[in-house]
Amino acid sequence: MKVFEFKLYGEHDQFARIDEAIRTTQFIRNKCIKLWMENGKKPKNERDKLGKVEFNNYAKELSEKYEFCRKLGSQARQAAAERAWNAISRF
């Protein structure tokens, strides 16, 4: 395993924006996983088909519902949703 270490220089507000982006991607990923878990609790005949596309659509719905998700770029939202799907598919 390779480990890369970097030292960043910047202003306090720049680091605050990076932290906010990280928390937002974690929020989207966790909401996608929660959607999958709640879908699994339904009876088999009522379950929705969930996949990478549905998770990307759900990330878009989250951006419409929450203002802080809207601030994050669409590609970053989709990447967070796809990371959630990759984790689920490996599970």
Side-chain angles (χ1 to χ4, degrees):
M1 178 166 92
K2 292 184 180 182
V3 176
F4 296 99
E5 188 173 320
F6 298 94
K7 187 168 187 173
L8 298 175
Y9 299 99
E11 301 292 323
H12 178 71
D13 63 329
Q14 291 172 323
F15 292 126
R17 285 183 284 184
I18 291 171
D19 287 340
E20 182 181 353
I22 291 170
R23 283 194 304 273
T24 304
T25 56
Q26 289 173 339
F27 174 80
I28 291 171
R29 187 180 64 234
N30 290 339
K31 290 292 271 186
C32 288
I33 292 172
K34 185 176 179 180
L35 175 72
W36 175 76
M37 289 172 61
E38 290 175 353
N39 190 49
K41 293 178 184 178
K42 294 179 184 178
K44 279 194 173 190
N45 59 347
E46 295 179 13
R47 288 184 188 166
D48 300 325
K49 179 187 175 287
L50 291 178
K52 194 182 290 189
V53 174
E54 287 79 20
F55 276 19
N56 286 339
N57 292 337
Y58 187 60
K60 183 180 178 185
E61 290 176 23
L62 290 174
S63 72
E64 293 169 357
K65 186 174 181 180
Y66 298 104
E67 176 67 31
F68 64 93
C69 289
R70 198 171 310 132
K71 291 180 183 177
L72 193 64
S74 63
Q75 291 178 337
R77 288 193 305 263
Q78 288 176 355
E82 288 177 9
R83 270 187 253 124
W85 176 248
N86 288 336
I88 288 168
S89 64
R90 287 190 310 259
F91 179 69

